[in-house]
Structure formats: structure tokens, C-alpha cells
Amino acid sequence: MVFKDQYLEISTDLPENSNLYGLGENTQPKGIKLQPNDPYTLYTTDISAINLNSDLYGSHPFYMDLRKGPNAHGVLLLNSNGMDVFYRGSSLTYKVIGGIFDFYFFAGPTPLAVVDQHTSLVGRPAPMPYWTFGFHQCRWGYKNVSVVQAVVEGYDNARIPLDVIWNDDDHMDAAKDFTLDPVNYPPSKLQPFLKSIHGSGRKYVVLIDPGIAVNASYGTYSRGMAQDVFIKYHGQPYLAQVWPGPVYFPDFLNPKTSTWWADEIARFHQIVPVDGLWIDMNEISNFCSGLCEIPKNKPCPGPGVVWTCCLDCKNITDTRWDDPPYKINASGTKVPIGYKTIATSAVHYNGVLEYNAHSLYGLSQAKATQKALQGLEGKRPFVLTRSTFVGSGKYAAHWTGDNQGTWENLRYSISTMLNFGIFGMPMVGADICGFYPDTTEELCNRWIELGAFYPFSRDHANYYSKRQELYQWETVAESARNALGLRYKLLPYFYTLNFLAHTTGAPIARPVFFSFPDYGESYGLSTQFLLGSGVMVSPVLKKGASHVCALFPPGTWYSLFDMTRAVVSKGGYVTLDAPLNTVNVHLYQNMVLPMQRGGRTSKEARATPFHLVVSFPAGAESSGAEGELYLDDDEKPEMGLGRGTATHVKFYASIGDMKVRIWSDVEEGEFAESLGLVIEKVTVLGAPSGAGKSTSIMVGGETLSDMHVKISEMSHVANVDEEVEEEEGEGESGGGKAKRGMVVEVGGLALPLGKKFDMSWQMEIAK
């Protein structure tokens, strides 16, 4: 161990069976598992996510170590200074340029337990409003209100679900926060548009950047100066440049700044009733470096490319803060740590140096923004942030930043998403179809088939890219209708996972090893993932592919697009059909999955009747299943029971002696009853082969009539082991005759969701 004022070093040995995950944010080309000798630098930086193995927008000095046994533990170094972490396979070494060694160890022993323990310390993930689990559309380059309105109409005409329409900075007057372009986004046009989309149940979110334009006629700036809320250098506000030109940056470590920020948001909300805010560029990003002045002999910003520095600047190299003795691998090239950001000798409130607080900026802004939004109308806020730190998930969601419209970036997005679940930020997703450059029709097909199952699902494109809304190509529209159609049926499951994330830290999207920690083959799996404990997504990630080679841990997996198809696995890879408009999504055995009919908006979908899907192992003669559902009034900031605005339902099912039983246990069912929600259908997967018509269906001891009962044999069951792949069509493999089961669908029900029920039927053996 080395402990100096601006250099800390400590190492640990690792055994051969260690598998490490975390240490982000970075784009990991080799998958989610950390690779020996790859660089891991943690320092919040505005370089696009296309840069591999580099320090990106967030700093999360946390890793999870999973060893066969299974036995997992986690390690957090709570330190906001820049650092390099060297992983050599048999050892791990931290080299940190400040702060202290403040280590926390989380004993596990399961991956879920590690995340539970980690988030109990750093903060549970924020509860997200229901509508945030719908589909979002954004683009930098929607030049006026009419264009945005046409986008919404385009989705409606194509019959593609859409919940949220976004504006990048196009709505602003000269890129100034909390303003509207008087020509292209005047209140007289924007307000009627917002009234219209709010009337249809949709939402509106806009971007704001931390840089406040230095402009005496700009109210936000003048009020900020009057309240002295900006980061200082030698007693004066530190001058930088972003999109508006010369800017000052609010100091969110100053208590006065949060009050000023909340007031600016409230003033803006009175004119533009936004439903959430997107905070970008908060690493902090600066187009210049060093100590700058506004030029006297040229305009700034001038015509042309606005991200070129137009201030008059000089480097600062005469302080140990701007030129520390140890150079971290900043931006992957060891650039000065003040490069394209605030000078690290700048000062925050109470004398705190930017050198120490740099990576905290996004967290501090997210906290202030979340508090401001909640203070508007007392509703549950939604904040999307680019820069993150330990505990940011308590306040905000995250997207993975500026990615490319390439097949490689499609694949990389899975690992980054899964990492943020481990970091305690489960509401995460990548720009669907890629931010830049132009995507292709085939890639956009495959990206929406994956992105429809990101926790945060948003299409977002660059100003200079061609239009890529999902209706631009008919094939993509068809893929979107299929994939988003299933997502909207699964919204109650997504929302229940939101509840579990908020109460236990459990990621929404998880590595497969979270549910199968003793299945070593899944430890490096980065091309598939789980939603919750048992819904597995296996997307196409290669150009021109029409099949997917997917890993199936032991058990029975049912296709959610065709529930008569299943894979019975002893553990191994299976080749699945995946033509252009198809994505493979499978449900694991022993689950009760709550679904609804779906719809074009989450508001429409959540009012429809429920469908319970019960999955037993294929052909099981004796087995059980469980599931749960959480519903609430998602406008309340809190998420939990005890206030009469939520219902929690546990579902159970069993099969034995040819008898199927399904029942529920309900907490505070009054809320669900007040909405009139009912269960209209139950589908049982995997009933014993040969099961014929049921003799009777009983609910609460009474025989039901007028039920619609449909019993069918599984049409395709693949039986695979570790050395055998699926054989198409016959339901057989080298391992012998596949197990088969039956699908029993009971429709015509009207079981009140808010009341306990106990449903059973005895099956006859078909003759």
C-alpha cells in the first residue's frame, strides 16, 4: 500500500476462479466480464461511447466477484478522485490521485444479495413512473413543433406504440436552458401540442445542459449571478464554453444553487409543462480547456461548427491540482485531467476543489433536478442523466451516451446496460438504432428487437443522421409492432421489477448468471440477458443472420411469441430461428407471469384485463410456480404499501396428481378493485402429456360455467444438453425423444385482481 497526498495505491490477490464485473463506465468490447490487462480508468469524461475501454460519462469504483460454488461478493471504493484500476487476472491494483481508502465489502453470497447490500448503502434505485416503461422517441434536429407533431402522427399511422416524445436542444432559444425558440417553438404552438399529447396519455421530456449562457439579458443567468451560484476560479465564476457559447456552471454543492435551480425549473414548467427532464453534458463537458476569456475581436460562438473552442484560453499547469504527479489514463491517452472540462484547481462551495469533486457533478445535478421536479406538483419525478457516480440511481435513469449505428455498438449496449444494473441504476438503455452516423434498415430492425427490452427504451438520432423513426421503413415498423407489442403486454412485469429494484436493488435487466450463479457457462455471457429472474431475451447481433445460437441454462424455456414452442435444456446452446422481424424471448419454468393485452400507450395498456401465464417444467407431473404483481398510483413520489394507493399480489401455482391449482395472496387489494382490473385468462404451460379436457374448473369452491378451455399439445419441444444442438422440426435431438407437455388455456374469466382467488381443475387423461 502507498498512501500519499495525491497518490494512493493498494493491491489485492485474486484466485484463479474469480470472475469480475463492474468498474465503469466504459464500453467493453469483449463483454461484461472484466478482462485481464484491459484498462479501467474511472473519471467522468465527455468522450463518446464508441471509444472502447476508456473512461466515459460515469465513475463507479465497484466490482462484483463471482466464483463457482456459487459464491459472490462485492467491493466498493467510495472515492470520487480519478483512478486507474489494473486487473491482471491474479491481482487487482488501484492507483488513485486523491481522497482516502474508504472500502465497503458486500458478502453476498448471491449476485442478487450483493446488489441488495450495495444499494442499501449507496441508495435504492428511484421509483420510475409507469409511463417511462413505454417507448420513447427523440432526435436532435426536430426543427419545429410541426415536425414533432408529425412524428407522433407517424407512430399512430404505423400503429407502433409510443408513450413519450422528446426534444433535444431544438426547442431552446440559442441553446439557452429554460427558454423557447420564439420562431420554431413559440408557446402559442407548443402548448396546444402538449395539451393534445397529454390528452392522449403521452408525455413530453426536454433536454437541459448545466452550462448557463453568460448573457446579461438572460434571466436565468442574471438570477444565478445575483445568488452567487456558479463554480469559481480565483474568486470569479469559471468561464467555459458549450452550445450557447460562453457559460458558467452552477455549483450544485452549494445549498443556494438547488433553490435557484428549482425556481428556474418552476418558471419554465409554468410555460412548458414537461413531464421529466434530461440532464446532459454534466461530466462536466467544456469545449475549451484552461483559463479562458471572452474574445474581444471575434464572435463567440461564431458561424459554423459550434463545438470548436472560440474563447481565448491558456493552459493552467502551475498547480499540483491541474498537473498532478500521477497521470491517470484519461480519455484513453493520458490527456491532462482538466482537458475539455473545468480546470481542476477551480473551487466549489466551502472551498472544495474541482480536483476532488469532478466526478460528483452529475450526481449533484441529478439530486437537485429530482428534488425540483418533485416539488412542482408533488408527482413522482423522472430525470435522465448522462454523468453518474455511486448512488446516482437513487435520483435518475441513465442512457449509455453517444453510440454508433453499427453492429458492434448494438452488441456493446448489452454489457453496458447490465453493468448499470449492477451499479444500482436499473433504468438504463442505449440509443436505439444508434446516435450516429446513419443506421441501416436491417440494423434498425435488429436494434428495436433488442431495444424493445431495454428497461429504458428510446430511439435517439444525431442532427446529421438520416431520419430513423421506427416507421421510416415498413420492415422496421413490423419489427417494432412485434417487439414493442410484447413489451406493452409485459408492462405490468416491467413495473413490478421497478418495484423490486426500488425495494431490494434488484436489476431489471440482469446477466443470466444472476438466476443461475452455479452455471459457469453463463459467467461471460454478454449476448443475452434476463428481465427479472426468468424472461430471457436472445437478440440477433450479426448482420445477415437469420438464426441465433443461444445459451439455455438447465430447465424448460417457453417462447413468449408462441407458447406452444419450448426448449428443454440440460444446459447448452440452441440454434433458434430468427428471421428479420423476429426476436426470441423465452419464459423460464416455475413462474407465474402477469401480462395484459397491450396497447399503443401505457395508459391504454394498463387499463386492459390481465393474462396469467403459468410455466411448469415440460410434462411435469408435480411442480410449483410463483410470481408477483405490484400496482400503484404512479404519480405518488413514494413506491410502497400502506397508503391505499397500491396493491401487491403474490401468485402461486401447483400441479400434482393431474390437478392444477392457481391462487393468489393480495395485500391492499382496494386499489386494484377501484380500477376494476380483472384476470380474464390463465394459460398453463407444460401440463403432463396426454392431459385431456378438465372435468371442472373451481374458483373458491364453486364450479365455473361459460369458460373457454383450449387444450393443445406443445408443437415444438427441443431437448438439448451441453453437447447437442436443437434439431429443427422433429422435437428430437441426439439425446433422445424430447419431453413434451400440454398448453391449457382457460379464458372467459373475470377474476377481480384485488381479491384473493383459488382456482383449480382436475385433468383427465385423454383416451
Side-chain angles (χ1 to χ4, degrees), residues 381-400:
F382 173 67
V383 179
L384 183 74
T385 182
R386 191 169 75 175
S387 186
T388 61
F389 184 69
V390 174
S392 285
K394 184 177 179 181
Y395 306 103
H398 175 64
W399 94 108
T400 63

Side-chain angles (χ1 to χ4, degrees), residues 208-246:
I208 50 176
D209 289 332
I212 301 300
V214 178
N215 185 329
S217 65
Y218 174 34
T220 297
Y221 164 79
S222 299
R223 289 184 290 270
M225 288 296 291
Q227 297 189 44
D228 193 24
V229 300
F230 298 114
I231 296 171
K232 301 290 183 60
Y233 189 87
H234 289 173
Q236 298 299 316
Y238 178 83
L239 185 68
Q241 180 198 333
V242 207
W243 305 114

Side-chain angles (χ1 to χ4, degrees), residues 452-515:
F453 303 100
Y454 293 152
F456 173 63
S457 182
R458 184 184 71 162
D459 181 314
H460 179 218
N462 183 283
Y463 185 93
Y464 299 100
S465 300
K466 291 181 180 177
R467 296 288 290 269
Q468 63 181 43
E469 293 83 9
L470 302 180
Y471 55 79
Q472 297 291 342
W473 305 270
E474 179 48 41
T475 63
V476 177
E478 184 177 350
S479 292
R481 286 189 289 268
N482 290 342
L484 290 173
L486 178 58
R487 180 189 181 92
Y488 274 64
K489 292 176 182 177
L490 290 172
L491 284 178
Y493 182 63
F494 272 100
Y495 195 67
T496 301
L497 294 177
N498 176 35
F499 169 68
L500 295 175
H502 178 58
T503 52
T504 71
I508 297 172
R510 308 174 188 175
V512 172
F513 68 72
F514 263 60
S515 288

Side-chain angles (χ1 to χ4, degrees), residues 615-751:
S615 59
F616 295 123
E621 296 182 358
S622 177
S623 191
E626 293 185 12
E628 63 184 299
L629 174 68
Y630 176 85
L631 299 168
D632 71 0
D633 172 3
D634 73 327
E635 291 194 341
K636 298 289 188 296
E638 304 85 2
M639 194 177 204
L641 299 171
R643 293 177 299 276
T645 56
T647 293
H648 188 222
V649 186
K650 287 281 190 76
F651 298 107
Y652 304 93
S654 64
I655 190 167
D657 298 324
M658 299 301 288
K659 181 179 180 179
V660 174
R661 180 185 172 212
I662 304 164
W663 69 100
S664 70
D665 187 13
V666 181
E667 292 182 86
E668 301 185 22
E670 296 83 3
F671 176 73
E673 286 187 72
S674 71
L675 300 178
L677 295 171
V678 298
I679 300 166
E680 67 173 352
K681 184 167 64 172
V682 171
T683 300
V684 175
L685 307 176
S689 297
K693 218 172 180 182
S694 60
T695 53
S696 61
I697 297 175
M698 309 285 290
V699 175
E702 296 183 6
T703 302
L704 295 184
S705 58
D706 299 324
M707 297 299 100
H708 311 300
V709 181
K710 179 182 177 183
I711 301 177
S712 55
E713 189 173 11
M714 302 295 296
S715 67
H716 186 97
V717 181
N719 192 21
V720 297
D721 57 35
E722 292 179 351
E723 298 179 355
V724 181
E725 291 191 356
E726 175 183 16
E727 183 175 311
E728 296 288 340
E730 297 299 323
E732 297 181 1
S733 71
K737 185 70 175 176
K739 289 183 180 180
R740 284 194 178 274
M742 309 296 290
V743 178
V744 181
E745 183 180 291
V746 181
L749 301 170
L751 304 175

